[in-house]
Amino acid sequence: MTALENLVKELTSGGVAIIDLTETLREEYPTITLPPEFGQASAFKKDVISQYDDRGPMWFWHNISVSEHTGTHFDAPIHWVSGKDLPNNTVDTIPPADFIAPACVVNCSNEVAEDRDFLLTRDFLINWEETFGKIPRGSWLFMRSDWRKIADPNNYANIQEDGAHHPGPDEECVKWMIEERDVLGFGTECIGTDAGIAMSFDPPLPCHYFMHGAGKYGLQCMTNLDLLPATGSVIVCPPLKIEGGSGSPLRVLALVPKLS
Ligand code: MN
């Protein structure tokens, strides 16, 4: 049997399950909010074109509008100034093979429950590797925080008087993931790949700065990372093929071996 025939057999028989890591793209889903002097990302919006009525008697459809960075979405290297001159740095030019890759899922949910500003460190990942093995080159590194269960749905970025408070990696950890493990990218359930307090870091937002500067990708606003094994899942996440696009909302699926 070929590998693909075997995959189809496993999908049909339930040996491989598919887990949806995507939030439903809806009008009330929060978008990231920048300080007021900057341009802002639009929330998702949809308007009925016709719904079996005199605008179109037999068909139903919408016009939609959305920023590239709203809802569960993909960040391409061109999103950041550090990645602006890299080859194949836009969603329409990234090699499609990069949209199917394994994931390592690092469970930080206990730490985040205690501390909304939890910073993922190199030592935390080295400790994780002692249990689960070395992070393979070309894998996604997903930070599981169970954020949807923790965050106030009306304040998803957990913005307080002094700014946003959600977890993310520190600068040393980001550099280690890139230089020592050559990950494909970093993914999170939070509203950005960087911690809320990372705007004050030097450079600000190091996960964006160094990951995209190294040609790596970001996934954010995911959900259901608690349903993934620490290793052994395969992520399928092709963004929309927007010409010159810096990112896009997308469906993120995980293929997971079912344990009997
Ligand atoms: Mn983004």
Side-chain angles (χ1 to χ4, degrees):
M1 207 183 288
T2 67
L4 286 177
E5 285 169 338
N6 197 39
L7 174 61
V8 170
K9 177 174 164 280
E10 292 293 330
L11 287 167
T12 309
S13 68
V16 172
I18 297 181
I19 296 177
D20 193 347
L21 308 182
T22 320
E23 290 280 6
T24 302
L25 196 52
R26 56 193 192 272
E27 300 201 351
E28 66 274 21
Y29 192 82
T31 49
I32 197 162
T33 309
L34 299 183
E37 64 269 31
F38 299 122
Q40 303 294 335
S42 301
F44 178 69
K45 190 169 180 307
K46 73 182 196 305
D47 296 302
V48 173
I49 304 172
S50 69
Q51 192 167 10
Y52 329 117
D53 51 27
D54 53 7
R55 296 171 297 176
M58 294 180 72
W59 48 91
F60 171 50
W61 51 347
H62 295 109
N63 282 316
I64 60 170
S65 65
V66 64
S67 91
E68 292 173 330
H69 297 263
T70 295
T72 302
H73 71 274
F74 186 99
D75 283 1
I78 201 173
H79 181 42
W80 223 251
V81 64
S82 50
K84 75 181 177 60
D85 297 320
L86 294 176
N88 304 323
N89 60 355
T90 56
V91 284
D92 57 325
T93 58
I94 291 169
D98 285 359
F99 303 140
I100 302 178
C104 292
V105 182
V106 178
N107 182 5
C108 305
S109 58
N110 291 334
E111 289 75 13
V112 175
E114 295 290 313
D115 177 10
R116 302 292 186 272
D117 291 320
F118 173 73
L119 292 176
L120 181 62
T121 62
R122 182 191 63 166
D123 288 349
F124 196 97
L125 293 182
I126 288 172
N127 190 45
W128 181 92
E129 285 188 333
E130 282 175 17
T131 306
F132 299 107
K134 188 175 173 180
I135 296 161
R137 182 170 178 268
S139 335
W140 285 102
L141 195 297
F142 284 176
M143 179 183 190
R144 172 188 158 196
S145 58
D146 297 351
W147 189 249
R148 186 163 67 167
K149 295 170 192 163
I150 289 175
D152 174 354
N154 298 313
N155 184 9
Y156 203 69
N158 193 26
I159 294 171
Q160 307 297 333
E161 276 178 21
D162 61 346
H165 294 275
H166 55 79
D170 71 11
E171 178 184 331
E172 182 187 48
C173 181
V174 172
K175 287 179 166 170
W176 183 84
M177 286 189 277
I178 297 166
E179 293 164 11
E180 302 299 327
R181 292 296 179 267
D182 197 15
V183 298
L184 183 68
F186 183 81
T188 177
E189 294 161 296
C190 296
I191 208 152
T193 53
D194 269 291
I197 58 171
M199 197 71 169
S200 66
F201 293 178
D202 182 23
L205 308 173
C207 194
H208 285 82
Y209 190 86
F210 293 110
M211 282 282 170
H212 298 325
K216 315 236 172 254
Y217 313 122
L219 283 169
Q220 48 253 283
C221 305
M222 289 191 291
T223 189
N224 290 335
L225 294 188
D226 56 318
L227 302 181
L228 300 186
T231 63
S233 62
V234 173
I235 307 305
V236 181
C237 60
L240 296 177
K241 201 169 182 178
I242 300 167
E243 186 174 42
S246 75
S248 105
L250 79 172
R251 197 80 180 245
V252 184
L253 301 178
L255 278 61
V256 177
K258 225 178 214 175
L259 303 173
S260 50

